[in-house]
Amino acid sequence: MGFTMSEKIMAMASANDGINVHADDIIWVRISKAMMDDVLGPRLEIDDILTDLNASIWDKDRVVIISDHYTPPANVNQADIVKFTRDWANTHQVDHYYEFAGPCHQVMVEKGHVLPGEIIVGTDSHTCTYGALAALGTGVGSTEMAGVLATGITWMKVPRTIKAQWHGDLNAMVMAKDISLKTISVLGHAGATYKTIEYCGETIDSLIMDERLCLSNMAVEAGAKAGLIRYDAITAAYLEKFGVTETFEHINPDEDANYETVLSFDAQELVPQVACPHEVDNVKAVSDVSHVAIHQAYIGSCTGGRYNDLLAAATLLEGKTIAKGIRLLVSPASKEVYDRCLKEGILTILADAGATILASSCGACLGIHSGTLASGEVCISTTNRNFLGRMGSKSSEVYLASPLTVAASAVTGYITDPNAISGGIND
Ligand SMILES: CC(C)[C@H](C(=O)O)[C@@H](O)C(=O)O
Ligand code: SF4
């Protein structure tokens, strides 16, 4: 019997130095990188625990701290948290500190902090994003993080794996977000709890890295520990800019690996999807909810604010104007994405269509600043969560969709299938 990606990666990182490990084994693993954000990072128990233990950071070069949720701060409390985080990084000589760089997961990948085969823990549930680069990223709580900071190791149960294979070419106006929502609708929001989802098949093989990152990012919305995509030429090309020449085929799954479940999807049957309030697995075809009027459309976050997302939206919106009374907010997923889109005129196209361009931040995604929803308002968003009150008032509603669907909806003021908008990217 062969091995899944999780089994291979965890065997390499295991304290027993590469002996075989199997799903359900509980093992000690060496951590390659530890990422902390400003919400659950140093400001919580971490500082106290390290002080109590009289411990210092096991390897400062492997620690990355990113202030992203509370930047730019909306009030004194948020400003104080960012200040604490910045000062802590300084005092503990953590050089990999970022602020105003964008949501942590995009920053991690685009600054070269993620390599295939690594085990990366982060104080944020969407740390599973790194699975797009064939790294086993997973979220941990602050107490667990304190242990990792002190020792560089942690214990984990080796996850069982669900293989989600997608075959065939995607239809026009269908994106990775639609693949993700469809898969989660089948699994259910807890269907992959403590499991790995391995996305594979020729549909996934042909996705560019921005799209793969969206897919892995959302794995935790089915409860998954990790959302892995095999290492291939697209991964290698992405890593080239960081000077990575090593190859990582050895962490790809064996043909005869032991999967708990195998799901098979036909990409040709996939139409634009939307997750309706208030669960990510409450998924319908966009055309089934086209009567729903919106107040706000949001393109941003570590899920749907990457270069390709803004490009897709701009291509659809070029020469068009958003509906009267609708707010279209765009927060590029990082400063790097912002700068590239600025340079290439993508932000101008979006702004000309009526979009307001915001700083690269988590703000609106979790309703803490820069786009918070009022009572009774409806938002369609490229983000990853539509829980009750997620983006603001408890009486607001969030629909999750691809950037193309969000852009199309901004044009009409109703949830709209991008295929219904002329001048779309495949015209
Ligand atoms: C606030 C933070 C800890 C949280 C997470 O863990 O994911 C946030 O980023 C989110 O998306 O809900
Ligand atoms: S952008 Fe949204 S999902 Fe991503 S880390 Fe920030 S709050 Fe969480």
Side-chain angles (χ1 to χ4, degrees):
M1 185 60 82
F3 296 97
T4 62
M5 288 181 82
S6 299
E7 288 168 336
K8 289 191 177 189
I9 293 171
M10 291 180 94
M12 281 174 1
S14 83
N16 293 325
D17 275 322
I19 59 149
N20 292 345
V21 303
H22 300 92
D24 294 339
D25 288 350
I26 293 177
I27 58 169
W28 289 95
V29 288
R30 284 183 296 271
I31 298 303
S32 296
K33 310 276 166 52
M35 189 283 295
M36 287 182 278
D37 60 18
D38 47 0
V39 179
L40 296 180
R43 78 184 182 103
L44 290 186
E45 302 96 327
I46 289 175
D47 194 53
D48 294 341
I49 296 173
L50 289 183
T51 310
D52 284 353
L53 292 174
N54 197 18
S56 51
I57 298 177
W58 102 103
D59 186 344
K60 293 184 175 65
D61 285 341
R62 293 183 181 275
V63 176
V64 185
I65 303 179
I66 302 168
S67 291
D68 55 351
H69 290 71
Y70 298 129
T71 53
N75 52 44
V76 175
N77 186 36
Q78 294 184 3
D80 282 344
I81 292 169
V82 176
K83 181 171 185 288
F84 182 92
T85 310
R86 183 193 307 130
D87 289 349
W88 197 90
N90 215 0
T91 314
H92 291 80
Q93 295 161 325
V94 174
D95 291 339
H96 300 306
Y97 173 74
Y98 299 93
E99 193 176 309
F100 288 102
C104 51
H105 307 302
Q106 178 60 14
V107 175
M108 283 293 284
V109 294
E110 74 183 15
K111 297 293 185 196
H113 293 302
V114 177
L115 289 178
E118 291 188 332
I119 296 190
I120 303 181
V121 290
T123 55
D124 191 285
S125 61
H126 297 103
T127 306
C128 54
T129 307
Y130 317 148
L133 283 163
L136 199 150
T138 200
V140 294
S142 306
T143 318
E144 193 62 36
M145 179 56 80
V148 168
L149 290 178
T151 63
I153 58 171
T154 193
W155 67 266
M156 283 186 189
K157 187 167 83 167
V158 181
R160 298 179 185 195
T161 297
I162 297 170
K163 183 176 184 173
Q165 37 187 19
W166 280 82
H167 301 292
D169 295 333
L170 288 174
N171 292 315
M173 302 290 175
V174 175
M175 299 183 72
K177 182 60 168 283
D178 303 301
I179 297 181
S180 168
L181 293 177
K182 183 73 198 175
T183 311
I184 293 168
S185 76
V186 170
L187 285 169
H189 64 259
T193 301
Y194 213 102
K195 294 170 189 165
T196 292
I197 305 173
E198 256 184 34
Y199 280 102
C200 61
E202 64 278 6
T203 320
I204 311 301
D205 293 344
S206 63
L207 292 178
I208 61 170
M209 188 50 73
D210 275 6
E211 288 284 82
R212 292 181 181 191
L213 288 161
C214 169
L215 205 51
S216 293
N217 175 278
M218 299 249 335
V220 72
E221 304 312 329
K225 186 99 178 148
L228 293 171
I229 297 177
R230 58 192 297 135
Y231 169 88
D232 65 5
I234 290 173
T235 334
Y238 187 85
L239 292 170
E240 233 174 61
K241 60 175 176 255
F242 308 116
V244 178
T245 48
E246 192 185 344
T247 56
F248 298 88
E249 273 90 5
H250 57 279
I251 58 170
N252 285 342
D254 294 324
E255 281 296 318
D256 59 345
N258 189 15
Y259 293 104
E260 186 189 74
T261 316
V262 178
L263 302 174
S264 210
F265 298 89
D266 181 354
Q268 280 290 294
E269 285 175 10
L270 186 66
V271 294
Q273 304 284 302
V274 60
C276 303
H278 298 285
E279 283 293 352
V280 184
D281 59 3
N282 185 14
V283 175
K284 301 198 167 110
V286 173
S287 52
D288 288 345
V289 288
S290 53
H291 55 281
V292 176
I294 59 161
H295 302 92
Q296 179 166 304
Y298 183 69
I299 298 176
S301 84
C302 61
T303 315
R306 295 193 173 79
Y307 172 78
N308 186 62
D309 302 318
L310 272 61
L311 174 67
T315 315
L316 187 138
L317 286 170
E318 187 156 25
K320 297 188 182 60
T321 316
I322 62 170
K324 198 162 177 301
I326 301 297
R327 311 184 290 271
L328 171 60
L329 305 180
V330 177
S331 170
S334 70
K335 175 77 167 69
E336 255 184 59
V337 171
Y338 192 115
D339 290 347
R340 183 173 176 195
C341 290
L342 183 65
K343 215 170 283 165
E344 294 185 9
I346 291 170
L347 294 187
T348 307
I349 294 170
L350 294 170
D352 285 351
T356 298
I357 314 296
L358 303 170
S360 301
S361 166
C362 291
C365 173
L366 75 169
I368 52 174
H369 60 82
S370 316
T372 308
L373 296 175
S375 306
E377 287 193 325
V378 176
C379 177
I380 186 156
S381 172
T382 65
T383 53
N384 52 29
R385 284 184 175 154
N386 60 352
F387 307 154
L388 185 70
R390 166 72 178 185
M391 294 182 79
S393 165
K394 284 215 163 68
S395 67
S396 62
E397 293 187 337
V398 178
Y399 290 77
L400 306 174
S402 76
L404 284 170
T405 300
V406 171
S409 307
V411 172
T412 63
Y414 292 86
I415 293 181
T416 301
D417 186 321
N419 287 295
I421 300 287
S422 62
I425 56 172
N426 296 304
D427 277 14

